[in-house]
Amino acid sequence: MADGSRAGVEKAPGAFRTISEVAHELELPQHVLRFWESRFHEIRPMKRGGGRRYYRPEDLDLLRGIRHLLYGEGYTIRGVQRLLREQGVHFVQNVWQPGAPQPSRQASEEGEEAERRVPETQGAPLPSLNDVGDEESAQEHSAAAGGLTPEDLQKLRAALRDLTECRRVLDAVLGGKA
């Protein structure tokens, strides 16, 4: 009930936000935010008694940038980590905003090629996004992949990479037990 009573209240732009508020705003589950904290050391919310997280506006912008790169642009976690190292936190904090400079796909895709491979579907491998050169080619590949658009394929690849990474983490925590 307490969350419902605050649902209509707008916070000031500079106000700190709880993990539930951030999760709601970014349309992500809270466990994804916690997982990202373990993968992106640049995400450092303030923690109060009992481990309660409070995100600053700059934390929220960083999370928006990471979300944009992972889900909107199809980057892997390693690709975003590389961008953070090479371009800096400020770049990722702003990349989600309309008109903001975007990273060079060619440079950031180097070293990710093995991660970008997707299992075969209906006996034929799915095309790599690098193989899609023009609109006609994209439509042909889309038809071959069951009618999915290149953007859909990109989102599915990003989701698969995230799930594979989650599985790896779970296996490590559980000691390989299934």
Side-chain angles (χ1 to χ4, degrees):
M1 281 280 180
D3 283 336
S5 64
R6 288 185 271 154
V9 176
E10 284 290 319
K11 283 192 170 184
F16 287 27
R17 290 182 169 51
T18 65
I19 192 167
S20 62
E21 292 169 327
V22 171
H24 178 75
E25 188 168 332
L26 296 179
E27 298 177 348
L28 292 168
Q30 292 179 24
H31 71 269
V32 170
L33 296 173
R34 290 187 200 100
F35 175 72
W36 286 358
E37 281 181 41
S38 73
R39 293 293 172 244
F40 303 105
H41 302 291
E42 297 82 0
I43 302 172
R44 290 184 223 117
M46 281 185 32
K47 291 186 183 174
R48 298 301 263 224
R52 190 166 170 92
R53 293 164 167 81
Y54 290 95
Y55 294 86
R56 297 170 284 265
E58 56 270 18
D59 296 325
L60 193 54
D61 284 339
L62 179 58
L63 290 167
R64 283 185 184 113
I66 291 170
R67 182 183 192 281
H68 169 77
L69 292 167
L70 291 173
Y71 299 133
E73 299 299 318
Y75 278 80
T76 62
I77 287 175
R78 284 189 183 158
V80 175
Q81 289 169 335
R82 187 176 294 117
L83 280 175
L84 282 163
R85 259 192 329 273
E86 294 171 0
Q87 302 289 326
V89 172
H90 185 71
F91 178 83
V92 175
Q93 285 174 324
N94 292 304
V95 73
W96 64 273
Q97 298 179 11
Q102 296 297 304
S104 163
R105 290 297 300 180
Q106 184 177 6
S108 58
E109 286 175 357
E110 291 175 12
E112 289 188 36
E113 198 55 40
E115 295 177 58
R116 299 182 70 79
R117 290 192 176 55
V118 177
E120 294 186 4
T121 302
Q122 298 175 356
L126 291 175
S128 163
L129 290 178
N130 298 333
D131 298 336
V132 179
D134 55 60
E135 193 58 36
E136 235 178 76
S137 174
Q139 289 172 352
E140 288 172 20
H141 287 301
S142 174
L148 296 174
T149 66
E151 292 81 19
D152 290 337
L153 289 172
Q154 197 172 29
K155 288 177 185 177
L156 285 171
R157 286 186 183 111
L160 178 61
R161 288 188 296 270
D162 286 348
L163 288 170
T164 301
E165 180 65 14
C166 288
R167 178 59 186 247
R168 188 191 65 73
V169 170
L170 285 171
D171 284 346
V173 169
L174 298 174
K177 299 175 188 172

